[in-house]
Amino acid sequence: MASLIPQAFVDDLLSRVDLASLIAERVNLKKSGATYQGRCPFHDEKSPSFHVYNENHPAHYHCYGCGAHGDAINFIKETEHLSFNEAVEQLAKRCGVEVPRDKVAEQKVSQNKSLYDASSHADSAFRQALGNHPQRGVAQEYLKRRGISPEMADLYGIGFAPAQRQFLSGTSDRSLVKALSTLRLVIEKEQDRFDMFQNRLMFPIRDTRGRTIAFGGRTLGNDRSKYINSPESPIFHKSNVLYGLWEARKQSRKLEQLIVVEGYLDVISLAQFGVVNAVAAMGTATNEDNLSHLLNTSQDIVFCFDGDKAGLAAADKALNNLLPMFQDGYKVSFLILPEGEDPDTFVRNEGADAFRERIANATPLSEYFFQAMSRGLDLSIAENKGILSTQARAALKVINAPVLKDALYQRLNELTRSSRWGDRQGKHGGDWKKGDWKGKKGFSFQNRDEPREEPIPVPNRIAARACLGLYVKPSWAKEISNTLNYEITQDDERALTYFLEWLLKEKIESAEDLLYRLTVDPHQQRRFKNLFNSLEHIFGTEEIEAGAQESLLVLKRKYFDRSFDKIHQDLSRDPKNKELHEKFRTMSSEKMAMIATPKS
């Protein structure tokens, strides 16, 4: 538990460490200006993209190749696969200082030690039983039938609980029995006590330090419950554990992506075929705590579920719980296997390459959202479009990621708009024939021969919020004109640049002047008719200005990232270009400053 160590001590400890010297023990670093550079220890690369910022406060490292980032504690944790406390202990020892402890928390850890010891005792007993118990044949035959290799059984610590009431509880060690009872591995009722797991294949559940904290058991007989799991205990909390994560980290130094599956054997079979980044969540696999744990481990998640009713329900639940937590920058996808298949059977029947291809083509969250919302709805029926709109808008309200939210609103408008929208607009929406308005007072044909410019496409929600800010306060145009990069503006952002250019060209500086220009100029009315179509409700003045400022900040970050990526690509094509190198260094420093500064 990180809370055992006071934060003030951690901050002081980090200030004592020469990060460059620490990292240089593992990485060949070379001084380059104010930073040190070398090849990243967290991924394979030919040219150095790993930078150490030793003079910054706090000192930190960042890899522009794989995104690895952190301080001295993070570096020790990742390179030596240690917990936070263990990394702090090692760093403190290096600096010659003693780690202070929270006495109350220390006492709790001491109390839990007996539970960890009891769990380890059960783990050893189950593993030994798989190898030498007289009843072991039934378990060994099951593993053979399922195609689990001895190497995988050993890596994942698979064991066997014999068909005995007191395989564990028969010990005379009262303190051990008490600890086993606390873990619910032993059940005590009045004068009787017996083992919870009997005649089952045992899967130890490990924490991030590799300690066994609970078990899952698969029946080898005709029990009503095919699988049973340890209940929660002082050392086991389902929502904080991912089955197979410790083993995955043993097999792969950097887990850039996690594949979430439903079962223990799915994880093990995938690993046996070389897909080592699969994990299974415990209990209710898609609750908020589990999702938070997943996203803290990797920001690229693929949920892989069976194609049956239960699998679809699990995927939908994961989606609904994920929406409020999603942040722009995350990548989440869904792979629903054909009905009757699970990852175990699929990888055995089709092979690892076919499974990886399925993972690579998994459905992005933005698409699965509408697949789930429209399941069972025939969208050729108008009423069903209304149902989809109502359900989707309710779900969209909880999303806090502006880019995703904008994309989903635009897609919802596309799905629910009538295919005969143009016809429903009638003559007002398209070119009319001469005579259609004959006799109508107040109508003039004086501009009919002017070239007719198509309306500017609907902007995304971020650009539309910025446009709304300009509509309320046109004088803002001068202030922001130098912050937007027209060359790298994307199609759904161009409405903002066109609106901004027009305001500057016409020297419009007040809302009254803007309203007058749009009233008397039908040409500009047509151009900007779609300017606010992606906005879902009317904002107050203060909210408009705040939203516009926030949207501009998001756009500036997006433009910066695009410019940075372009320079990086140009540099890969022309690595000897000194000017590009200088731009890259300058922008790298700016990027680090952005990373260090929380988004507003």
Side-chain angles (χ1 to χ4, degrees), residues 205-219:
I205 299 165
R206 293 158 167 162
D207 64 13
T208 55
R209 296 169 62 178
R211 298 176 298 185
T212 299
I213 54 176
F215 295 89
R218 203 274 184 202
T219 183

mmCIF file of all heavy atoms in Angstrom, residues 205-219:
data_model
loop_
_atom_site.group_PDB
_atom_site.id
_atom_site.type_symbol
_atom_site.label_atom_id
_atom_site.label_comp_id
_atom_site.label_asym_id
_atom_site.label_seq_id
_atom_site.Cartn_x
_atom_site.Cartn_y
_atom_site.Cartn_z
ATOM 1 N N ILE A 205 -5.018 -16.999 -7.877
ATOM 2 C CA ILE A 205 -5.182 -15.603 -8.303
ATOM 3 C C ILE A 205 -4.117 -14.781 -7.593
ATOM 4 O O ILE A 205 -4.032 -14.799 -6.357
ATOM 5 C CB ILE A 205 -6.596 -15.100 -7.955
ATOM 6 C CG1 ILE A 205 -7.635 -15.949 -8.692
ATOM 7 C CG2 ILE A 205 -6.757 -13.635 -8.301
ATOM 8 C CD1 ILE A 205 -9.047 -15.795 -8.151
ATOM 9 N N ARG A 206 -3.289 -14.109 -8.361
ATOM 10 C CA ARG A 206 -2.120 -13.423 -7.799
ATOM 11 C C ARG A 206 -2.247 -11.911 -7.910
ATOM 12 O O ARG A 206 -2.879 -11.390 -8.837
ATOM 13 C CB ARG A 206 -0.858 -13.881 -8.532
ATOM 14 C CG ARG A 206 -0.509 -15.348 -8.271
ATOM 15 C CD ARG A 206 0.352 -15.899 -9.364
ATOM 16 N NE ARG A 206 0.947 -17.193 -9.004
ATOM 17 C CZ ARG A 206 1.457 -18.048 -9.875
ATOM 18 N NH1 ARG A 206 1.460 -17.762 -11.159
ATOM 19 N NH2 ARG A 206 1.989 -19.191 -9.468
ATOM 20 N N ASP A 207 -1.609 -11.220 -6.975
ATOM 21 C CA ASP A 207 -1.583 -9.769 -7.047
ATOM 22 C C ASP A 207 -0.411 -9.327 -7.920
ATOM 23 O O ASP A 207 0.301 -10.161 -8.504
ATOM 24 C CB ASP A 207 -1.544 -9.147 -5.648
ATOM 25 C CG ASP A 207 -0.269 -9.494 -4.867
ATOM 26 O OD1 ASP A 207 0.703 -10.011 -5.470
ATOM 27 O OD2 ASP A 207 -0.244 -9.247 -3.641
ATOM 28 N N THR A 208 -0.184 -8.026 -8.007
ATOM 29 C CA THR A 208 0.851 -7.510 -8.908
ATOM 30 C C THR A 208 2.262 -7.872 -8.459
ATOM 31 O O THR A 208 3.212 -7.728 -9.221
ATOM 32 C CB THR A 208 0.737 -5.982 -9.031
ATOM 33 O OG1 THR A 208 0.776 -5.394 -7.721
ATOM 34 C CG2 THR A 208 -0.565 -5.597 -9.713
ATOM 35 N N ARG A 209 2.393 -8.355 -7.211
ATOM 36 C CA ARG A 209 3.707 -8.791 -6.723
ATOM 37 C C ARG A 209 3.885 -10.296 -6.840
ATOM 38 O O ARG A 209 4.899 -10.842 -6.411
ATOM 39 C CB ARG A 209 3.882 -8.338 -5.269
ATOM 40 C CG ARG A 209 3.910 -6.837 -5.110
ATOM 41 C CD ARG A 209 3.825 -6.403 -3.663
ATOM 42 N NE ARG A 209 4.942 -6.874 -2.855
ATOM 43 C CZ ARG A 209 5.095 -6.592 -1.564
ATOM 44 N NH1 ARG A 209 4.186 -5.857 -0.953
ATOM 45 N NH2 ARG A 209 6.121 -7.048 -0.902
ATOM 46 N N GLY A 210 2.891 -10.970 -7.409
ATOM 47 C CA GLY A 210 2.993 -12.409 -7.603
ATOM 48 C C GLY A 210 2.571 -13.220 -6.398
ATOM 49 O O GLY A 210 2.731 -14.450 -6.392
ATOM 50 N N ARG A 211 2.011 -12.589 -5.370
ATOM 51 C CA ARG A 211 1.557 -13.316 -4.181
ATOM 52 C C ARG A 211 0.163 -13.898 -4.444
ATOM 53 O O ARG A 211 -0.703 -13.210 -4.986
ATOM 54 C CB ARG A 211 1.503 -12.389 -2.970
ATOM 55 C CG ARG A 211 2.844 -11.810 -2.572
ATOM 56 C CD ARG A 211 2.711 -10.819 -1.425
ATOM 57 N NE ARG A 211 1.879 -9.677 -1.785
ATOM 58 C CZ ARG A 211 1.681 -8.629 -1.002
ATOM 59 N NH1 ARG A 211 2.242 -8.584 0.202
ATOM 60 N NH2 ARG A 211 0.910 -7.628 -1.402
ATOM 61 N N THR A 212 -0.039 -15.140 -4.052
ATOM 62 C CA THR A 212 -1.353 -15.760 -4.195
ATOM 63 C C THR A 212 -2.287 -15.197 -3.128
ATOM 64 O O THR A 212 -1.987 -15.253 -1.933
ATOM 65 C CB THR A 212 -1.262 -17.288 -4.063
ATOM 66 O OG1 THR A 212 -0.420 -17.796 -5.107
ATOM 67 C CG2 THR A 212 -2.634 -17.921 -4.184
ATOM 68 N N ILE A 213 -3.425 -14.642 -3.585
ATOM 69 C CA ILE A 213 -4.339 -13.983 -2.650
ATOM 70 C C ILE A 213 -5.731 -14.615 -2.660
ATOM 71 O O ILE A 213 -6.556 -14.313 -1.791
ATOM 72 C CB ILE A 213 -4.463 -12.479 -2.968
ATOM 73 C CG1 ILE A 213 -4.864 -12.265 -4.427
ATOM 74 C CG2 ILE A 213 -3.158 -11.758 -2.661
ATOM 75 C CD1 ILE A 213 -5.102 -10.814 -4.803
ATOM 76 N N ALA A 214 -5.989 -15.481 -3.644
ATOM 77 C CA ALA A 214 -7.301 -16.132 -3.733
ATOM 78 C C ALA A 214 -7.206 -17.266 -4.749
ATOM 79 O O ALA A 214 -6.148 -17.494 -5.349
ATOM 80 C CB ALA A 214 -8.372 -15.125 -4.142
ATOM 81 N N PHE A 215 -8.324 -17.970 -4.954
ATOM 82 C CA PHE A 215 -8.341 -19.093 -5.887
ATOM 83 C C PHE A 215 -9.653 -19.123 -6.659
ATOM 84 O O PHE A 215 -10.701 -18.676 -6.176
ATOM 85 C CB PHE A 215 -8.190 -20.430 -5.143
ATOM 86 C CG PHE A 215 -6.874 -20.613 -4.465
ATOM 87 C CD1 PHE A 215 -6.686 -20.181 -3.159
ATOM 88 C CD2 PHE A 215 -5.803 -21.209 -5.133
ATOM 89 C CE1 PHE A 215 -5.466 -20.334 -2.519
ATOM 90 C CE2 PHE A 215 -4.585 -21.373 -4.503
ATOM 91 C CZ PHE A 215 -4.413 -20.937 -3.189
ATOM 92 N N GLY A 216 -9.563 -19.689 -7.871
ATOM 93 C CA GLY A 216 -10.737 -20.063 -8.624
ATOM 94 C C GLY A 216 -10.680 -21.574 -8.803
ATOM 95 O O GLY A 216 -9.597 -22.132 -9.002
ATOM 96 N N GLY A 217 -11.808 -22.266 -8.702
ATOM 97 C CA GLY A 217 -11.806 -23.716 -8.819
ATOM 98 C C GLY A 217 -12.810 -24.207 -9.841
ATOM 99 O O GLY A 217 -13.988 -23.829 -9.790
ATOM 100 N N ARG A 218 -12.366 -25.056 -10.771
ATOM 101 C CA ARG A 218 -13.231 -25.626 -11.812
ATOM 102 C C ARG A 218 -13.550 -27.070 -11.428
ATOM 103 O O ARG A 218 -12.652 -27.875 -11.183
ATOM 104 C CB ARG A 218 -12.490 -25.575 -13.142
ATOM 105 C CG ARG A 218 -13.394 -25.602 -14.369
ATOM 106 C CD ARG A 218 -13.769 -26.995 -14.821
ATOM 107 N NE ARG A 218 -14.562 -26.961 -16.053
ATOM 108 C CZ ARG A 218 -15.365 -27.928 -16.447
ATOM 109 N NH1 ARG A 218 -15.524 -29.023 -15.701
ATOM 110 N NH2 ARG A 218 -16.027 -27.816 -17.586
ATOM 111 N N THR A 219 -14.838 -27.394 -11.384
ATOM 112 C CA THR A 219 -15.213 -28.734 -10.943
ATOM 113 C C THR A 219 -14.692 -29.814 -11.895
ATOM 114 O O THR A 219 -14.643 -29.616 -13.117
ATOM 115 C CB THR A 219 -16.741 -28.873 -10.820
ATOM 116 O OG1 THR A 219 -17.043 -30.169 -10.313
ATOM 117 C CG2 THR A 219 -17.437 -28.687 -12.163
#
